Amino acid sequence: MTTIKDIAREAGVSVAMVSKVLNHPDCGRTETREKVLAVVKRLNYQPNHAAKSMINKRTGMIALIISDVRNPFFTEVARGLEDAANKNNYRVMLCNTDNDPLKQQSYLQALQGRIVDGFIISVASEDSRQLKKINRAELPFVLIDRECQNFRTDAVIVDNRDGAVKAVRHLLNNGRRRVGFIAGKQNTQTGRERMQGYCDALAEQGIAVEQQLIKEGHFTISGGYQAAKALLELPECPDALFIANNAMTMGALRALTEARVRIPKKIALVSFDDVEWAEFFTPPLTVIRQPTYTMGSLAGEILFQRLTEAKQSEIKEIVLRPELIVRKSCGSSLNG
Amino acid sequence: MTTIKDIAREAGVSVAMVSKVLNHPDCGRTETREKVLAVVKRLNYQPNHAAKSMINKRTGMIALIISDVRNPFFTEVARGLEDAANKNNYRVMLCNTDNDPLKQQSYLQALQGRIVDGFIISVASEDSRQLKKINRAELPFVLIDRECQNFRTDAVIVDNRDGAVKAVRHLLNNGRRRVGFIAGKQNTQTGRERMQGYCDALAEQGIAVEQQLIKEGHFTISGGYQAAKALLELPECPDALFIANNAMTMGALRALTEARVRIPKKIALVSFDDVEWAEFFTPPLTVIRQPTYTMGSLAGEILFQRLTEAKQSEIKEIVLRPELIVRKSCGSSLNG
DNA sequence: CTGAAAGCGCTAACAG
DNA sequence: CTGTTAGCGCTTTCAG
């Protein structure tokens, strides 16, 4: 590999001079500068990253820790983060945990060797012990999507309860009375908040929560399928469905198709999470859209600020509002 | 940050001893080892990554350069690569180029500073100049999905022609005679190969290619929408559709829905690329599935081998076969 | 304006 | 078995 020494030799100057020319635009005589720059170009020289970061105490890299890149939710977050990162001259490293705290721990460990300058994380569990061990001043990080228990730190999250309320309220406002709910894991914050929203929206209109209308779908495709099937077999079938995430929606959709249920005629449907294909589905799906790209770029901005600020400013907790996107599956009167 | 010096001081040994204990399982007296390890644990010490990679000439990182993580095709590749990487004790850095050669160049430049030990790339253009500048012995790389012109190097690609032939042949075998084709960009290898496959399959059955049945959809959603619309407006409407990628399929599906065309009754449909939602669509989509996860993990394996082999073995070019997944949209007789 | 030298945190000879 | 020392590639004082 070409090193700074090679450049120095070829250009007939010292390594110190090369370094100065490269790092300080207004250093050295014009003649010297040009001489050095010419050799740099000719030899296609690129400073060694490890050596630089050792001195600068800056790697120019951040990590994004999520459960799985294949989830369109995270994919969008990743893109938002990467765009923000590039704008700030950072690169992004990707870490999939599959929601396994052990995998998460292994990544966290590695990151503490200063592979990166900071990281964004959607935690694998609500347990805050792993993160509490990390010195935020040395290795700043920002939580996204989920928070930890008893642990206040920088975070960008979504108001899940609000999203669920909007969904169920919309269904109710369009005349539906028996709204089935395919819930997510109740040992997660997002799962519980969406459940809360469902209950709150019913309460608003004085409708009692019926336990049999609520099925847990574990946030998975097969869970959604099973839950939808169970709901359809109820003696008194629901006339609407609120589904707590995109994976379960796919499963539920299959169950509804198999049972030849007409959407929205027989059952109206609103799903949490907007995905690319939702608007191309027949009928196009009414959804609660989370501002995922924004979540990624905002989390990035907060992190980059931490990385440059002289002394720690106060903790930033940003709560984003999800948005109801009315399409056809909800049978809204707006569609005529 | 805790350094090796801190450990040495606390444990009452030299830094060399700490290094040995940490890197060579059978070094030092048991007593010494335990003393050191205890301090390491107590201080939550993690060796500095930059310092290590400077000496070892190994960063333990590789990069994945693709056009966009949001494309499910690449997302699956990314996951395959990351799993392979972790198995080999590597981490993955993500680079989106948006198919912009300038962005690609900027990443390539940075990588040459030895941020990573090697990389996997789906090239932004067929022009091989950027890659030819890179010394494969110093910074190995493997191409995926697309190749470059006049540039033989390690690559894992898919037989696109074969995939297209399988799709169109299947349509023909099920009695369709006027197969419309929404083609991808013809200035890309994948676009041209799929076109070739379309023509070859027709030729097999002695059917002449009708130019009016072929529309370019640029591999985009809106392009697919426009192309499908144009095809539907033909005086003699096609009775089948072969679409060259997932994005265009979404667009085409919308056009078909708007025109209230029954699938597969009026128009049978086969699409290139399998995606998560394809099987949940109504009707479930018959597709050509590319082995994307495998592509990622295989490319990884080739790279990791390069990173460990003493001297360069011969160039590896792997051509994967895509697979026809018969569901309902093709109106196959297999479905009864 | 330029160069010599120290040092970032770590590992690998080499000596003791 | 353990410690001393040199040096990875680079930047930054500090002299000249």
Side-chain angles (χ1 to χ4, degrees):
Chain A
M1 229 193 83
T2 14
T3 74
I4 199 170
K5 269 189 191 166
D6 302 320
I7 306 299
R9 187 171 12 81
E10 290 287 310
V13 296
S14 71
V15 292
M17 211 51 227
V18 177
S19 174
K20 276 175 200 148
V21 167
L22 255 26
N23 296 296
H24 305 283
D26 49 341
C27 229
R29 267 188 316 180
T30 320
E31 195 191 312
T32 317
R33 297 184 54 74
E34 284 173 351
K35 210 165 42 179
V36 170
L37 261 13
V39 179
V40 163
K41 185 154 192 188
R42 179 157 61 79
L43 268 49
N44 192 24
Y45 167 73
Q46 193 66 27
N48 181 292
H49 179 253
K52 284 194 82 146
S53 43
M54 213 157 119
I55 294 179
N56 299 334
K57 269 107 181 60
R58 175 192 188 281
T59 67
M61 304 245 303
I62 60 169
L64 171 64
I65 307 182
I66 55 182
S67 59
D68 190 358
V69 247
R70 286 175 299 193
N71 185 332
F73 176 88
F74 288 122
T75 242
E76 198 70 25
V77 170
R79 188 60 212 244
L81 177 62
E82 203 188 337
D83 287 349
N86 287 341
K87 224 179 295 166
N88 289 272
N89 227 332
Y90 275 90
R91 308 270 119 93
V92 178
M93 184 182 128
L94 198 64
C95 314
N96 290 141
T97 64
D98 292 319
N99 279 323
D100 176 353
L102 258 56
K103 274 196 182 182
Q104 174 176 302
Q105 175 61 23
S106 135
Y107 273 120
L108 253 22
Q109 198 93 46
L111 296 187
Q112 290 184 76
R114 303 220 56 94
I115 293 181
V116 297
D117 298 331
F119 62 92
I120 306 289
I121 182 171
S122 167
V123 292
S125 105
E126 292 184 61
D127 187 333
S128 59
R129 272 173 294 177
Q130 291 183 8
L131 288 174
K132 272 184 175 157
K133 272 198 209 145
I134 297 176
N135 184 337
R136 274 184 45 228
E138 272 182 358
L139 187 67
F141 55 89
V142 179
L143 265 47
I144 53 167
D145 189 35
R146 316 167 184 178
E147 289 178 304
C148 284
Q149 273 165 349
N150 311 315
F151 187 47
R152 260 184 50 81
T153 192
D154 293 335
V156 181
I157 56 171
V158 157
D159 190 337
N160 288 286
R161 197 200 68 91
D162 178 60
V165 165
K166 280 175 176 153
V168 177
R169 188 189 285 153
H170 181 71
L171 254 7
L172 261 18
N173 286 347
N174 282 281
R176 308 291 169 157
R177 277 295 154 265
R178 292 180 60 74
V179 182
F181 177 38
I182 302 186
K185 286 204 203 113
Q186 291 303 297
N187 63 352
T188 66
Q189 188 192 6
T190 47
R192 286 191 304 270
E193 287 182 2
R194 290 172 198 179
M195 170 75 84
Q196 189 61 53
Y198 168 78
C199 297
D200 288 358
L202 291 180
E204 275 181 10
Q205 317 232 352
I207 300 177
V209 172
E210 277 183 61
Q211 280 309 322
Q212 58 170 355
L213 285 178
I214 302 178
K215 303 285 176 203
E216 236 252 56
H218 310 282
F219 282 143
T220 65
I221 296 181
S222 62
Y225 176 77
Q226 297 298 344
K229 262 186 110 159
L231 252 13
L232 289 175
E233 282 164 6
L234 247 32
E236 215 179 332
C237 190
D239 57 8
L241 221 45
F242 169 48
I243 308 175
N245 86 336
N246 59 31
M248 295 192 297
T249 299
M250 276 190 272
L253 252 16
R254 158 174 282 183
L256 295 182
T257 303
E258 283 178 6
R260 300 184 180 282
V261 172
R262 304 287 295 266
I263 306 172
K265 195 153 189 179
K266 174 120 188 275
I267 293 189
L269 188 151
V270 179
S271 153
F272 218 98
D273 287 336
D274 195 14
V275 281
E276 220 182 5
W277 53 268
E279 71 173 300
F280 301 103
F281 198 83
T282 314
L285 266 29
T286 293
V287 300
I288 298 296
R289 174 187 293 164
Q290 303 194 63
T292 42
Y293 183 94
T294 307
M295 187 180 258
S297 59
L298 257 180
E301 295 299 349
I302 294 178
L303 185 62
F304 300 131
Q305 194 181 326
R306 286 267 179 247
L307 291 174
T308 48
E309 72 190 5
K311 57 177 182 178
Q312 297 216 10
S313 55
E314 59 183 8
I315 286 177
K316 288 194 184 55
E317 257 182 298
I318 298 186
V319 180
L320 265 21
R321 295 258 149 182
E323 184 189 359
L324 173 72
I325 309 286
V326 177
R327 292 199 270 250
K328 307 277 185 177
S329 68
C330 56
S332 167
S333 50
L334 298 175
N335 297 319
Chain B
M1 230 193 80
T2 17
T3 74
I4 200 170
K5 269 190 192 166
D6 302 320
I7 306 298
R9 187 171 13 80
E10 290 288 310
V13 296
S14 72
V15 291
M17 210 51 228
V18 177
S19 175
K20 277 174 201 146
V21 166
L22 255 27
N23 296 297
H24 306 283
D26 48 343
C27 231
R29 266 188 317 180
T30 319
E31 194 192 314
T32 317
R33 296 185 55 75
E34 283 173 351
K35 209 165 44 179
V36 170
L37 262 12
V39 180
V40 164
K41 186 155 191 186
R42 178 157 61 80
L43 268 49
N44 192 23
Y45 167 73
Q46 193 67 25
N48 181 291
H49 180 253
K52 284 193 81 146
S53 44
M54 215 158 120
I55 295 178
N56 300 333
K57 269 109 181 58
R58 174 192 189 280
T59 67
M61 303 245 304
I62 60 170
L64 171 63
I65 308 182
I66 54 181
S67 59
D68 190 357
V69 247
R70 285 175 300 192
N71 185 332
F73 176 88
F74 289 122
T75 240
E76 198 69 24
V77 170
R79 187 60 211 245
L81 177 62
E82 203 189 337
D83 287 349
N86 287 341
K87 223 179 297 168
N88 289 271
N89 228 331
Y90 275 90
R91 308 269 119 93
V92 178
M93 184 182 129
L94 200 63
C95 314
N96 291 141
T97 64
D98 291 319
N99 280 324
D100 176 354
L102 257 57
K103 274 196 182 181
Q104 175 176 302
Q105 175 61 24
S106 137
Y107 273 120
L108 252 22
Q109 198 93 46
L111 296 187
Q112 289 185 77
R114 302 220 56 93
I115 293 182
V116 297
D117 299 330
F119 62 92
I120 307 289
I121 182 172
S122 167
V123 292
S125 105
E126 293 184 61
D127 188 333
S128 59
R129 270 174 296 178
Q130 291 184 8
L131 287 175
K132 273 184 175 157
K133 271 198 210 146
I134 297 178
N135 184 337
R136 274 184 45 228
E138 272 183 358
L139 188 66
F141 55 89
V142 178
L143 265 47
I144 52 168
D145 189 36
R146 315 168 185 178
E147 290 178 301
C148 283
Q149 274 164 349
N150 311 317
F151 187 48
R152 258 184 52 81
T153 191
D154 292 334
V156 180
I157 56 169
V158 157
D159 189 337
N160 288 286
R161 196 200 70 90
D162 177 60
V165 165
K166 280 175 176 154
V168 177
R169 188 188 285 155
H170 181 72
L171 255 8
L172 262 18
N173 285 346
N174 281 281
R176 309 290 169 159
R177 279 294 156 267
R178 291 180 61 74
V179 181
F181 178 38
I182 302 187
K185 286 203 203 114
Q186 290 303 297
N187 63 353
T188 66
Q189 188 193 4
T190 47
R192 286 191 304 270
E193 288 182 0
R194 291 172 198 178
M195 170 76 84
Q196 189 62 52
Y198 168 79
C199 297
D200 289 356
L202 291 181
E204 275 180 9
Q205 318 231 352
I207 300 177
V209 172
E210 276 184 61
Q211 281 307 322
Q212 58 170 355
L213 284 179
I214 301 178
K215 303 285 176 204
E216 236 252 55
H218 310 282
F219 282 144
T220 64
I221 296 181
S222 63
Y225 176 77
Q226 298 298 344
K229 263 185 107 157
L231 251 15
L232 289 175
E233 283 164 5
L234 246 32
E236 215 178 332
C237 189
D239 58 8
L241 222 46
F242 170 47
I243 309 175
N245 85 335
N246 60 29
M248 295 192 298
T249 299
M250 276 190 274
L253 251 17
R254 161 176 281 184
L256 295 182
T257 303
E258 284 179 6
R260 299 183 182 283
V261 172
R262 305 286 295 266
I263 306 172
K265 194 153 190 180
K266 174 120 189 273
I267 293 188
L269 188 151
V270 178
S271 153
F272 219 98
D273 288 334
D274 195 14
V275 281
E276 220 183 5
W277 52 268
E279 70 173 301
F280 301 104
F281 198 83
T282 314
L285 267 28
T286 292
V287 300
I288 298 296
R289 173 188 294 164
Q290 303 193 63
T292 42
Y293 182 94
T294 306
M295 186 181 259
S297 58
L298 257 180
E301 294 300 349
I302 295 178
L303 185 62
F304 300 131
Q305 194 180 326
R306 286 266 180 248
L307 291 174
T308 48
E309 71 190 6
K311 57 177 182 177
Q312 296 215 11
S313 55
E314 58 182 9
I315 286 178
K316 290 195 182 53
E317 256 182 297
I318 298 185
V319 180
L320 266 19
R321 296 257 150 183
E323 183 189 0
L324 172 73
I325 309 286
V326 177
R327 290 198 272 249
K328 308 276 186 179
S329 68
C330 56
S332 167
S333 50
L334 298 176
N335 297 320

